[in-house]
């Protein structure tokens, strides 16, 4: 059995975003990176806030480690 696109509801959670990548559920919200802003963002209830940023790092994904630490993959 395959799922068809019309079987799913699509909703915009937050805008604008800057090349979002690597979404990860966390603490009742969503973590993701904004590649072009060099930032890790936390989104919950339509409100976002930067958790971490480092100029020039190019983050591409974020994950929660078993001990709760956030791991960020980046090209720099």
């Amino acid at each position: 059995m395959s799922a068809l696109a019309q079987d799913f509801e699509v909703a915009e959670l937050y805008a604008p975003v800057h090349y979002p990548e690597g979404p990860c559920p966390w603490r009742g919200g969503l973590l993701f990176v904004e590649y072009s802003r060099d930032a890790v963002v936390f989104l919950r209830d339509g409100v976002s806030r930067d958790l971490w940023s480092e100029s020039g790092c190019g983050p591409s994904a974020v994950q929660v480690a078993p001990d709760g630490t956030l791991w960020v993959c980046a090209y720099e």
Side-chain angles (χ1 to χ4, degrees):
M1 172 184 252
S2 66
L4 301 175
Q6 68 261 20
D7 294 334
F8 297 95
E9 181 180 331
V10 176
E12 182 178 277
L13 299 176
Y14 173 73
V17 290
H18 305 272
Y19 299 98
E21 303 228 8
C24 176
W26 186 62
R27 297 185 179 179
L30 183 68
L31 286 171
F32 59 94
V33 299
E34 286 190 328
Y35 187 79
S36 66
R37 285 196 328 108
D38 299 315
V40 174
V41 179
F42 180 57
L43 174 67
R44 183 170 54 197
D45 300 326
V47 177
S48 73
R49 66 181 179 122
D50 289 356
L51 294 184
W52 176 83
S53 181
E54 185 173 318
S55 182
C57 79
S60 58
V62 60
Q63 286 292 311
V64 181
D67 67 358
T69 302
L70 298 180
W71 292 344
V72 179
C73 294
Y75 72 82
E76 288 290 331

